[in-house]
Amino acid sequence: NLNLQPVTTFYVWNQGLSGFFSPLEQLASILAALVHDVGHDGFNNSFHVRTGSKIALQHNDISVLENHHLVTAFTLLKREELNFLENLDDESSSKVRATVVKLVLGTDMTHHFNQMEQFKSMCSKNGPDPTNWSDSDKLHLLVCCMHAADISNPTKPLHISKIWTERCLSEFFNQGDEEKKRGLKVTAGYDRDAVQVPDSQIGFINYVVVPQYEALSALFEGFTVQV
C-alpha cells in the first residue's frame, strides 16, 4: 500500500512539521510509510489471533501485522542490493530503525484512542508550539501524523476516496467470507451481506477520522482544511 507514503511526505513537508524533526527522523517517517503494510496478506490482526496463524504465534498476538511488516522490511534491508541505509553510522542507523519501529507499531488501530488522549494531554501540557517539546513528545506527534496519513482516505477528493474505499471494503468482505467458511463470528463491518456502506463510512469519519484531524489542527492549520 503506497497510498500512505505521499500523504506522510505531504504532512511532514507541507504542514510545517519538517522544522520540528531532524533529517534522520524525516527519512525514518518516509521509510516507515513505505513499509508499513509490506507483506500484508489481506487479513487483520484479530483474524490472525483467532486462527492462531504462524505470524500471530511469532509475535505473541501483539500488533501481529505491524510486527510482521517491520520484520519483513528490515529483513529485506539486510540484502546488500537493497540496503540504502548502509552508509549511515551505527548511531544514525539505530535512530532510524527505532523511529521506524515506533511509527509502524503506531499504525495499529487498537492504539487509536489512547494515542489521541496522550496527544491531547501533551498539547495541554506543552502548548501549541512543538519547538521546545521533549524528544519523546515530538516522536509521539510524528506517530499521530503518520496514523492520520494512514486513515486519510476520507480527506481526499471524492473520486480518489471512493476507489480506496472500494479496495478496503473488498479486503474486509473477503475476510468476512473466510470467517464464515471457518465457522467464526464475522468481524463487525466485514459481512458483505449486512454492511450498509454509507453508514459504515459515516461512522468511521465521524468517530475516527474527524477527531484525529481536529486534534492535529490545534497545532497545524492545514489539518483543518483536510477535515
Side-chain angles (χ1 to χ4, degrees), residues 127-148:
D129 183 0
T131 303
N132 296 317
W133 287 17
S134 68
D135 289 344
S136 62
D137 283 352
K138 284 194 284 189
L139 180 57
H140 188 71
L141 167 59
L142 195 55
V143 168
C144 290
C145 289
M146 180 156 161
H147 180 51

Side-chain angles (χ1 to χ4, degrees), residues 155 221-227:
T155 73
E221 291 183 1
F223 283 96
T224 304
V225 175
Q226 297 302 316
V227 174

Side-chain angles (χ1 to χ4, degrees), residues 98-161:
T99 304
V100 170
V101 169
K102 183 77 171 178
L103 293 177
V104 174
L105 291 179
T107 63
D108 184 343
M109 274 299 299
T110 62
H111 302 317
H112 171 78
F113 293 104
N114 285 338
Q115 283 179 356
M116 277 296 91
E117 288 306 311
Q118 183 180 343
F119 179 75
K120 291 176 183 177
S121 176
M122 283 166 37
C123 290
S124 177
K125 176 186 70 174
N126 297 327
D129 183 0
T131 303
N132 296 317
W133 287 17
S134 68
D135 289 344
S136 62
D137 283 352
K138 284 194 284 189
L139 180 57
H140 188 71
L141 167 59
L142 195 55
V143 168
C144 290
C145 289
M146 180 156 161
H147 180 51
D150 200 20
I151 60 173
S152 67
N153 182 53
T155 73
K156 296 180 174 67
L158 183 60
H159 70 284
I160 298 175
S161 180

Side-chain angles (χ1 to χ4, degrees), residues 94 127 135 190 211 219:
S94 295
D135 289 344
Y190 284 54
L219 302 183

